[in-house]
Amino acid sequence: MTVRDAVVAVDPAIAGRDMYDLIAELYPICRSITGEGFRSTLDTLARHLDLAVHEVPSGTRVFDWTVPREWNITDAYVETSAGERVIDFRASNLHVVSYSVPVDARMSLYQLRPHLHTLPEHPEWIPYRTSYYDDNWGFCLSQRQLDRLAEDEYHVVIDSSLTDGYLTYGEYLVPGASAEEVLVSCHACHPSLCNDNLSGVALATWLAKALAGSEPRYSYRFLFIPGTIGSITWLALNEATLPRVKAGLVLACVGDPGGLTYKRSRRGDTEIDRAMAHVLMTSGADHEINDFSPYGYDERQFCSPGFDLPVGCLNRTPYARYPEYHTSADDLDLIRPDSLADSFKTCLAAFRVLEENATYLNQNPKCEPQLGRRGLYGAIGGRSDTQQFQLAMLWVLNLSDGAHSLLDIAERSVLEFGLVTEATDALVRAGLLVRQ
Amino acid sequence: MTVRDAVVAVDPAIAGRDMYDLIAELYPICRSITGEGFRSTLDTLARHLDLAVHEVPSGTRVFDWTVPREWNITDAYVETSAGERVIDFRASNLHVVSYSVPVDARMSLYQLRPHLHTLPEHPEWIPYRTSYYDDNWGFCLSQRQLDRLAEDEYHVVIDSSLTDGYLTYGEYLVPGASAEEVLVSCHACHPSLCNDNLSGVALATWLAKALAGSEPRYSYRFLFIPGTIGSITWLALNEATLPRVKAGLVLACVGDPGGLTYKRSRRGDTEIDRAMAHVLMTSGADHEINDFSPYGYDERQFCSPGFDLPVGCLNRTPYARYPEYHTSADDLDLIRPDSLADSFKTCLAAFRVLEENATYLNQNPKCEPQLGRRGLYGAIGGRSDTQQFQLAMLWVLNLSDGAHSLLDIAERSVLEFGLVTEATDALVRAGLLVRQ
Amino acid sequence: MTVRDAVVAVDPAIAGRDMYDLIAELYPICRSITGEGFRSTLDTLARHLDLAVHEVPSGTRVFDWTVPREWNITDAYVETSAGERVIDFRASNLHVVSYSVPVDARMSLYQLRPHLHTLPEHPEWIPYRTSYYDDNWGFCLSQRQLDRLAEDEYHVVIDSSLTDGYLTYGEYLVPGASAEEVLVSCHACHPSLCNDNLSGVALATWLAKALAGSEPRYSYRFLFIPGTIGSITWLALNEATLPRVKAGLVLACVGDPGGLTYKRSRRGDTEIDRAMAHVLMTSGADHEINDFSPYGYDERQFCSPGFDLPVGCLNRTPYARYPEYHTSADDLDLIRPDSLADSFKTCLAAFRVLEENATYLNQNPKCEPQLGRRGLYGAIGGRSDTQQFQLAMLWVLNLSDGAHSLLDIAERSVLEFGLVTEATDALVRAGLLVRQ
């Protein structure tokens, strides 16, 4: 089965609902960049994919960084002298600053206050905060909760551990005819956050499932990693693989109702950049294409100057532009099955461009061939897009001089890549075109 | 006489009226891609130009195509049982589908109906239909006519012939100092259609007449050919000529009141593309410049990848964008002498760019020369465009470093090419500039 | 002291007021392209700068030109038969056409009239006229004045002299570490005109003063010259210097309230063109960037094809676009201290780009370095632009691959060059970056 067949075989609408269900299942888990929450997330994904799970020991040097101690947490709360839990980790795992050191102390509100984080401009929302590389602790809560706290002697407990352990990540490879690889990466290190984190995880999983049964031209490598330290670790341990990376996508924030946003790789004009731009351009949907900048998700590492990999980043609304970002409002209400479906469809369409892009040679380059004589008008009489199809044939014939790929042709003609490949197939069958 | 002198010698307004008269004369003739109508059209043109008429036998292989049988027609009609001609070729030659096989039969309206073509959205107009490469027959009529047809036994007659004969085309060469050629091509294969077909024929004829008396730098070759099969035939028979084609224009739909539209050659930046864009840009008139696409007129063949000739296409309103296209409404009312005149003037202006474009060397490249001392301010005191003329001299001096042609200078300065050449002439006379 | 320190040390607001005062002091002097007025202007500037004053004899050949005779004037008037001076040089030095030959004659209004110049569309203003290279004379006056002149026998006196003498110009060099030079040129040959002429003179003087105390990377050469003949003369006498000119600015019309306008050098993409565009782009202020044209100020000579120097031109409202240009209304009311201050600040910012632009190498090119570990987040906690600063560090790290200069990085990131250099300094201090 080719990728084209595999793409045709899946129903994006169903995939969208299934991805949403997976997100709902993963939502309650308290993930961080290391620890049992991350492992348990990979366990869930392993029901869908035959994931390879890697464990990298704390203290491992990875370029300029060191794999941190493993963090785990069982409970955390702030209790009044009357024994009431006014902040309770069991209610939301966002209540604890990620990587908080263990605490068991009694203190006044005044003493506790510097450890409390709120969002005054969104008084009902709990912020998401982390302190990976500083020994620190804290609680996040809504402004409303904070406003209700009276002076008291509070019992403050964080039942966490920071011990030598492992950084865990998952990897899944769909082997292709070529050793050249398409890298798909998502971060899976955030606790109960849906758009930023779980939408990318679910999309990467479903893309891997869709390709798993096919025999692709390129190999597809899927990474489920903690943000920053995870991509740095993977890059450090896989330098030998990097020359084979011909394209890549970082996926994040792909479930909200906004239009798609593609951020180009550092080089800006690699095949994945052009494929994604073409797919978005011909989609008819609102979208945005932005130049690379060295801030964002793990494309920062993939596109660092020592690697400069052809890796872009796909989002719907980018992180900095939706107010729910890194708050408890990035929940199951923020994301939608049809948005996930659209992100899924778009990635597959871009993969199809990579898979099917090639250069052909017009066997009859002097004047147009007589298409009518070969039934190439009649043969397509039943199509509703007959005129577009004929136009696509003329474009393919005109530009198949050995210097233009099908993607070049699709870009110049502003015709959908799929239509261009179908026209190509018809011309190949008629003997008018040969793959170079 | 240089082309510049020849251009000055003609009055576009008179030419516009003369072209209109020629179109009116050619309008009644029933042309097709072969046959007596085409020959008779060339006979009419031969009164203006010493045309070479070529006859290419049916069955001649021309690349992927074969020259078809010759089609001629003397009469055609649909007659009621009462003997009334309800469709009559004598009323309009559009009534018969071009290349209809002979018919003489009696049939019901039900049997006749599949052979009748109308335009329901323009109920008064007769469509223009052809069936060159399928044995077929049919009538075209207005929707109003169709609506009036009652059930009856109709006598259906098409007195046509399809026999081995010839494809005819006309050719006219204005020899120049250089063997390099400018190709001007128009299709002359449509029956009573004015804008699409006859306007291009008339314009090509008048351009040829205007240049005929001059001693141009380049040779100018004018082709009066049937569409598609004509250009394919000419290309097949003249491959040796093609390396000498330095520029070309396909002319069609150049008589309607719309603004001019130039479609670039496949390469997009050849000298004719730049000349035409510059002339339109500095004309002050509404116009449009479009990239090449492999659909349209005979530029499709000239720009096929095996040739990739520097040939663009000039229209006023392009074929697909005026409702009268390929209908009986593309008649003498649709076209205008002043539109023809403007198309004429524009082509001559583009030819002047080709003729006079050259690279000069500023003989005084360090600082500006003192123009006042040479009377180059005084000398031009009487011009109303003195300031523009001085500016043109400064641009020519500044950019004549051996790396910029006059067209480069005209493009960068956005000054009319004619003004740039006049400034050049003045500077050459003053010894400040030498042709490279 | 580096240029950066020198820039920080000056207060543009104070400089703006001081420049305005200098202009007020120079305003009454009757300057022309030669003569005592020009010398006296340089004497005034010499109080601020240790100017080198050059005297070039009349008759000296400078390329296609000849240094003209020296013109001086002591008085001029038109007197009625009743002895009333109706036009009086003492009231405004604009009243005499510059380079008028001596006159002492009695004539009717009819005879005088061809020698009188007015601006009917601005009836209160006196125009500014010159006749350097034609033996001629004339008076300029307001239309109101002209309207009041009755028929009379007028005594017409111009007490001027045209004698072999000198063309005078001033030059000031701030020597830098490199022999490469930045050329700053202004014309100082206009009489009582503020924006066109004196604003540029004052700005060049204050830029020279600001740099005088510093130890710049490049040498800065300031020219105070008569327009056209002055730049031609300087170029003719200094051809050996020209290969060392790495950038240059012609300054004129830099005191009016309009936004800044930069006109690119002939090459269009030299470092000064890019520096100026970047500074204007990131200034947040309205501005305009125009391509080179061979009309304007002395950039015409510096950018003539035999030199093609990287010299642009900075104006606020360009000469052709403010009605007061070359009239008595280009006076002390037209210009403003804060406009002068803004022009000053902008030039210094562009000089900083030239001074500090360099290419660095990221010492840790594989993935981002861990900035937090090095205190590069904490260290900058007190800045209000912390986020921008961090972003600047990421950009510098990402693009410092040896192929991008700091100006490249500033352009691509659209971050202020100053922020980019500060981020660079921090990274150099941390050992993460090394100058190439």
Side-chain angles (χ1 to χ4, degrees):
Chain A
M1 187 168 64
T2 66
V3 166
R4 194 200 294 195
D5 296 333
V7 167
V8 171
V10 295
D11 179 337
I14 295 173
R17 289 193 294 272
D18 289 346
M19 287 186 269
Y20 189 90
D21 291 343
L22 174 62
I23 293 170
E25 184 180 355
L26 295 170
Y27 182 63
I29 301 172
C30 181
R31 278 165 293 273
S32 185
I33 55 173
T34 63
E36 289 305 330
F38 202 99
R39 279 189 197 92
S40 143
T41 299
L42 295 185
D43 288 347
T44 304
L45 302 185
R47 294 208 322 270
H48 297 282
L49 296 173
D50 187 17
L51 270 188
V53 175
H54 300 270
E55 300 275 2
V56 183
S58 302
T60 305
R61 291 282 305 177
V62 286
F63 300 125
D64 193 50
W65 300 63
T66 303
V67 172
R69 287 172 296 168
E70 184 174 327
W71 183 68
N72 284 292
I73 181 162
T74 50
D75 197 6
Y77 53 87
V78 173
E79 204 176 58
T80 62
S81 55
E84 186 201 356
R85 287 192 172 195
V86 289
I87 308 177
D88 187 353
F89 174 70
R90 295 172 310 191
S92 166
N93 55 42
L94 295 178
H95 276 316
V96 177
V97 170
S98 195
Y99 261 69
S100 282
V101 297
V103 179
D104 186 348
R106 287 170 200 276
M107 59 186 75
S108 68
L109 180 56
Y110 180 80
Q111 290 168 305
L112 176 59
R113 189 62 191 83
H115 296 274
L116 300 182
H117 305 278
T118 67
L119 289 169
E121 65 278 30
H122 294 290
E124 307 291 352
W125 298 355
I126 308 165
Y128 163 56
R129 293 284 180 274
T130 68
S131 181
Y132 301 136
Y133 299 101
D134 264 331
D135 276 3
N136 214 327
W137 64 269
F139 287 88
C140 301
L141 67 166
S142 74
Q143 184 65 35
R144 291 273 183 272
Q145 277 178 291
L146 178 63
D147 294 343
R148 283 194 298 264
L149 294 192
E151 194 45 70
D152 197 353
E153 194 190 46
Y154 287 101
H155 186 196
V156 177
V157 173
I158 296 180
D159 187 5
S160 67
S161 65
L162 273 161
T163 56
D164 280 348
Y166 299 90
L167 177 150
T168 311
Y169 70 87
E171 193 167 11
Y172 181 75
L173 185 76
V174 183
S178 159
E180 283 192 292
E181 292 195 2
V182 178
L183 194 67
V184 180
S185 175
C186 62
H187 66 289
C189 55
H190 290 11
S192 296
L193 295 170
C194 285
N195 197 36
D196 179 17
N197 183 26
L198 292 177
S199 70
V201 171
L203 177 56
T205 304
W206 249 255
L207 290 170
K209 281 165 67 89
L211 296 179
S214 71
E215 287 160 354
R217 173 182 184 180
Y218 298 113
S219 300
Y220 287 76
R221 185 181 297 276
F222 293 85
L223 300 180
F224 302 87
I225 54 181
T228 304
I229 187 66
S231 54
I232 293 169
T233 299
W234 184 84
L235 284 162
L237 301 182
N238 293 277
E239 281 205 68
T241 300
L242 305 185
R244 298 204 306 271
V245 175
K246 96 163 250 117
L249 280 179
V250 171
L251 303 175
C253 304
V254 289
D256 67 85
L260 280 161
T261 303
Y262 178 68
K263 174 181 166 180
R264 292 190 183 97
S265 75
R266 182 178 185 267
R267 289 188 234 156
D269 62 347
T270 70
E271 198 170 12
I272 185 68
D273 297 314
R274 295 175 54 202
M276 214 25 118
H278 176 73
V279 166
L280 291 174
M281 201 89 73
T282 54
S283 70
D286 276 353
H287 66 273
E288 204 176 298
I289 297 174
N290 296 321
D291 281 334
F292 177 77
S293 79
Y295 199 69
Y297 289 101
D298 283 323
E299 69 277 8
R300 293 162 63 165
Q301 313 308 331
F302 297 123
C303 294
S304 58
F307 302 126
D308 199 16
L309 296 178
V311 174
C313 179
L314 188 71
N315 308 139
R316 300 194 76 85
T317 306
Y319 65 94
R321 289 178 14 204
Y322 62 101
E324 300 88 351
Y325 172 71
H326 277 197
T327 77
S328 57
D330 184 353
D331 62 11
L332 290 161
D333 288 338
L334 181 66
I335 60 168
R336 297 186 185 178
D338 62 339
S339 294
L340 292 162
D342 180 61
S343 302
F344 177 67
K345 214 172 53 182
T346 301
C347 289
L348 290 180
F351 293 163
R352 260 196 71 177
V353 175
L354 300 179
E355 289 287 309
E356 302 186 34
N357 191 22
T359 303
Y360 289 79
L361 268 181
N362 180 343
Q363 300 299 296
N364 191 79
K366 293 181 176 176
C367 299
E368 294 171 8
Q370 198 177 2
L371 296 176
R373 173 156 71 80
R374 291 175 176 83
L376 279 175
Y377 279 25
I380 43 93
R383 300 175 61 111
S384 62
D385 58 349
T386 299
Q387 280 198 314
Q388 289 291 89
F389 188 82
Q390 289 180 17
L391 192 56
M393 284 194 294
L394 293 176
W395 272 110
V396 170
L397 286 168
N398 189 272
L399 291 180
S400 288
D401 54 5
H404 297 91
S405 71
L406 295 188
L407 180 52
D408 292 330
I409 297 171
E411 286 179 339
R412 183 153 167 191
S413 66
V414 201
L415 293 172
E416 270 198 352
F417 188 82
L419 187 68
V420 169
T421 56
E422 288 174 56
T424 299
D425 292 348
L427 293 166
V428 167
R429 281 193 300 269
L432 290 170
L433 214 59
V434 166
R435 187 159 175 169
Q436 206 181 27
Chain B
M1 185 169 63
T2 65
V3 167
R4 195 199 293 195
D5 297 333
V7 167
V8 171
V10 296
D11 178 338
I14 294 173
R17 287 193 294 273
D18 289 346
M19 287 186 269
Y20 189 90
D21 292 343
L22 174 62
I23 293 171
E25 184 180 356
L26 295 170
Y27 181 63
I29 301 172
C30 181
R31 277 165 295 273
S32 185
I33 55 173
T34 62
E36 289 305 330
F38 203 100
R39 279 188 198 94
S40 143
T41 299
L42 295 185
D43 288 346
T44 305
L45 301 185
R47 293 209 321 270
H48 298 281
L49 296 173
D50 187 16
L51 269 189
V53 175
H54 300 269
E55 299 275 1
V56 183
S58 301
T60 305
R61 290 283 304 178
V62 286
F63 300 124
D64 193 50
W65 301 63
T66 304
V67 172
R69 288 172 296 168
E70 184 173 327
W71 185 69
N72 284 291
I73 182 163
T74 49
D75 197 5
Y77 54 87
V78 173
E79 204 176 61
T80 63
S81 54
E84 187 201 356
R85 286 193 172 195
V86 289
I87 308 176
D88 187 353
F89 175 71
R90 295 171 309 189
S92 166
N93 55 42
L94 296 178
H95 276 316
V96 177
V97 170
S98 195
Y99 261 69
S100 281
V101 298
V103 180
D104 185 348
R106 285 168 202 278
M107 59 186 76
S108 67
L109 181 56
Y110 179 80
Q111 291 168 305
L112 177 59
R113 187 65 191 79
H115 296 274
L116 300 182
H117 306 277
T118 67
L119 290 168
E121 66 277 30
H122 294 290
E124 306 292 351
W125 298 355
I126 308 165
Y128 164 55
R129 294 284 181 273
T130 68
S131 181
Y132 302 135
Y133 300 102
D134 264 330
D135 276 3
N136 214 328
W137 63 269
F139 286 88
C140 301
L141 66 167
S142 74
Q143 184 64 37
R144 291 272 184 272
Q145 278 178 291
L146 177 63
D147 294 344
R148 281 192 298 265
L149 294 191
E151 194 46 69
D152 197 353
E153 196 190 46
Y154 287 101
H155 187 196
V156 177
V157 173
I158 297 181
D159 187 4
S160 67
S161 65
L162 273 161
T163 56
D164 279 348
Y166 299 90
L167 178 151
T168 311
Y169 70 87
E171 194 166 11
Y172 181 75
L173 185 77
V174 182
S178 159
E180 283 192 292
E181 293 195 0
V182 178
L183 194 67
V184 179
S185 176
C186 62
H187 66 289
C189 55
H190 289 11
S192 296
L193 295 170
C194 286
N195 198 36
D196 179 16
N197 183 26
L198 292 177
S199 70
V201 171
L203 177 55
T205 303
W206 249 255
L207 290 170
K209 279 165 69 88
L211 296 179
S214 71
E215 287 159 355
R217 173 182 184 181
Y218 299 113
S219 300
Y220 286 76
R221 186 180 297 276
F222 294 84
L223 300 181
F224 302 86
I225 54 180
T228 304
I229 187 66
S231 53
I232 292 169
T233 298
W234 184 83
L235 284 162
L237 301 181
N238 292 278
E239 280 205 67
T241 300
L242 306 185
R244 298 204 306 270
V245 175
K246 95 163 250 116
L249 279 179
V250 171
L251 303 175
C253 304
V254 289
D256 68 272
L260 281 162
T261 303
Y262 178 68
K263 173 181 168 181
R264 292 191 182 95
S265 74
R266 183 178 184 267
R267 292 188 232 157
D269 62 347
T270 70
E271 198 170 12
I272 185 68
D273 298 314
R274 294 174 55 201
M276 216 20 119
H278 176 74
V279 166
L280 291 174
M281 201 89 73
T282 53
S283 70
D286 276 352
H287 65 274
E288 204 175 300
I289 297 174
N290 295 321
D291 281 334
F292 178 76
S293 79
Y295 199 69
Y297 289 102
D298 283 322
E299 69 277 9
R300 294 162 63 164
Q301 313 308 332
F302 297 124
C303 295
S304 58
F307 302 126
D308 200 14
L309 295 178
V311 174
C313 179
L314 188 72
N315 307 139
R316 299 194 76 86
T317 306
Y319 65 93
R321 288 177 16 203
Y322 62 99
E324 300 88 350
Y325 172 71
H326 277 197
T327 77
S328 57
D330 184 353
D331 61 12
L332 290 161
D333 289 337
L334 181 65
I335 60 168
R336 297 186 185 180
D338 61 339
S339 295
L340 292 162
D342 181 60
S343 302
F344 177 67
K345 214 172 53 183
T346 301
C347 289
L348 289 180
F351 293 164
R352 259 196 71 177
V353 175
L354 301 178
E355 289 286 309
E356 302 186 34
N357 191 23
T359 303
Y360 289 80
L361 268 181
N362 180 342
Q363 300 300 294
N364 191 79
K366 294 180 175 179
C367 297
E368 293 170 9
Q370 198 176 4
L371 296 177
R373 171 156 72 81
R374 291 176 176 83
L376 280 175
Y377 280 24
I380 43 94
R383 300 177 60 110
S384 61
D385 58 350
T386 299
Q387 280 197 313
Q388 288 291 88
F389 188 82
Q390 289 180 18
L391 193 56
M393 285 194 294
L394 293 177
W395 272 110
V396 171
L397 287 168
N398 189 272
L399 291 180
S400 287
D401 54 5
H404 298 91
S405 71
L406 295 187
L407 180 53
D408 292 330
I409 296 172
E411 286 179 338
R412 185 155 166 187
S413 66
V414 201
L415 292 173
E416 269 199 350
F417 187 83
L419 188 67
V420 169
T421 55
E422 288 175 57
T424 299
D425 292 349
L427 293 167
V428 167
R429 281 192 301 269
L432 290 170
L433 213 59
V434 166
R435 186 158 176 168
Q436 207 179 26
Chain C
M1 185 168 65
T2 66
V3 167
R4 194 199 293 195
D5 297 333
V7 167
V8 171
V10 295
D11 179 337
I14 294 174
R17 288 193 293 274
D18 289 347
M19 287 186 270
Y20 188 90
D21 291 344
L22 174 63
I23 293 171
E25 184 180 356
L26 295 171
Y27 181 64
I29 301 173
C30 181
R31 277 165 294 273
S32 185
I33 54 173
T34 62
E36 289 305 329
F38 202 100
R39 279 189 198 92
S40 143
T41 298
L42 295 184
D43 288 346
T44 305
L45 301 185
R47 294 209 322 271
H48 297 281
L49 296 173
D50 187 18
L51 268 189
V53 175
H54 300 269
E55 300 275 0
V56 184
S58 301
T60 305
R61 289 284 303 180
V62 286
F63 300 124
D64 193 51
W65 300 63
T66 304
V67 172
R69 287 171 298 168
E70 184 173 326
W71 183 69
N72 285 290
I73 181 163
T74 51
D75 197 6
Y77 54 87
V78 173
E79 205 175 59
T80 63
S81 54
E84 186 201 357
R85 284 192 175 197
V86 289
I87 308 176
D88 187 353
F89 175 71
R90 296 172 310 190
S92 166
N93 54 41
L94 295 178
H95 275 317
V96 177
V97 170
S98 195
Y99 261 69
S100 282
V101 298
V103 179
D104 186 347
R106 286 169 201 277
M107 59 186 75
S108 67
L109 180 57
Y110 180 80
Q111 290 168 306
L112 176 60
R113 188 62 191 83
H115 295 274
L116 301 182
H117 306 277
T118 66
L119 289 169
E121 65 278 31
H122 294 290
E124 307 291 351
W125 299 353
I126 308 166
Y128 164 57
R129 294 284 180 274
T130 68
S131 181
Y132 302 135
Y133 300 101
D134 263 331
D135 276 3
N136 215 327
W137 63 268
F139 286 88
C140 300
L141 67 166
S142 73
Q143 184 63 38
R144 291 273 184 269
Q145 278 179 292
L146 177 62
D147 294 344
R148 282 194 297 264
L149 294 191
E151 196 44 70
D152 196 353
E153 196 190 46
Y154 288 102
H155 187 195
V156 176
V157 173
I158 297 180
D159 187 5
S160 67
S161 64
L162 273 161
T163 57
D164 279 347
Y166 298 90
L167 177 150
T168 312
Y169 70 87
E171 194 167 12
Y172 181 76
L173 185 76
V174 182
S178 159
E180 283 192 293
E181 295 194 359
V182 178
L183 194 67
V184 180
S185 176
C186 61
H187 65 289
C189 55
H190 289 12
S192 296
L193 295 170
C194 285
N195 197 36
D196 180 17
N197 183 25
L198 292 178
S199 70
V201 171
L203 177 56
T205 304
W206 250 255
L207 290 171
K209 280 165 67 89
L211 296 179
S214 71
E215 287 159 355
R217 173 181 184 180
Y218 299 113
S219 300
Y220 286 76
R221 185 180 298 275
F222 293 85
L223 300 181
F224 302 86
I225 54 181
T228 304
I229 188 65
S231 53
I232 292 169
T233 299
W234 184 84
L235 283 161
L237 301 181
N238 292 277
E239 280 205 68
T241 300
L242 305 185
R244 299 203 305 271
V245 175
K246 93 162 254 117
L249 279 179
V250 171
L251 302 176
C253 304
V254 290
D256 67 272
L260 281 161
T261 303
Y262 178 68
K263 174 181 167 180
R264 292 191 182 96
S265 75
R266 183 178 184 267
R267 291 188 234 158
D269 64 347
T270 70
E271 199 171 11
I272 185 67
D273 298 313
R274 294 175 55 201
M276 216 21 118
H278 175 74
V279 166
L280 291 173
M281 201 90 72
T282 54
S283 71
D286 275 353
H287 66 273
E288 205 175 299
I289 297 174
N290 296 322
D291 281 333
F292 177 77
S293 79
Y295 199 69
Y297 289 102
D298 283 322
E299 68 278 7
R300 293 162 63 163
Q301 313 307 332
F302 297 123
C303 295
S304 58
F307 302 125
D308 200 14
L309 296 178
V311 175
C313 179
L314 188 71
N315 308 138
R316 300 194 76 85
T317 306
Y319 65 92
R321 290 182 9 208
Y322 63 100
E324 300 89 350
Y325 172 72
H326 277 197
T327 77
S328 57
D330 184 353
D331 61 12
L332 290 161
D333 289 337
L334 182 65
I335 60 169
R336 298 186 185 180
D338 61 340
S339 295
L340 292 161
D342 181 61
S343 301
F344 177 67
K345 214 172 53 182
T346 301
C347 289
L348 290 179
F351 292 164
R352 259 196 70 178
V353 175
L354 301 178
E355 289 286 308
E356 302 186 34
N357 191 23
T359 303
Y360 289 79
L361 267 181
N362 181 342
Q363 300 300 295
N364 190 79
K366 293 181 175 178
C367 297
E368 294 170 8
Q370 199 177 3
L371 296 176
R373 172 157 73 78
R374 292 175 174 83
L376 280 175
Y377 279 25
I380 43 92
R383 300 175 60 110
S384 61
D385 58 349
T386 299
Q387 280 198 313
Q388 289 290 90
F389 189 82
Q390 289 179 19
L391 192 56
M393 284 194 295
L394 292 177
W395 271 111
V396 171
L397 286 167
N398 189 273
L399 290 180
S400 287
D401 55 4
H404 299 91
S405 70
L406 295 187
L407 179 53
D408 291 330
I409 296 172
E411 285 178 339
R412 184 154 166 189
S413 65
V414 201
L415 293 172
E416 269 198 351
F417 187 82
L419 188 68
V420 169
T421 56
E422 288 175 56
T424 299
D425 291 349
L427 293 166
V428 167
R429 282 193 301 268
L432 290 169
L433 213 59
V434 166
R435 186 159 174 168
Q436 206 179 27

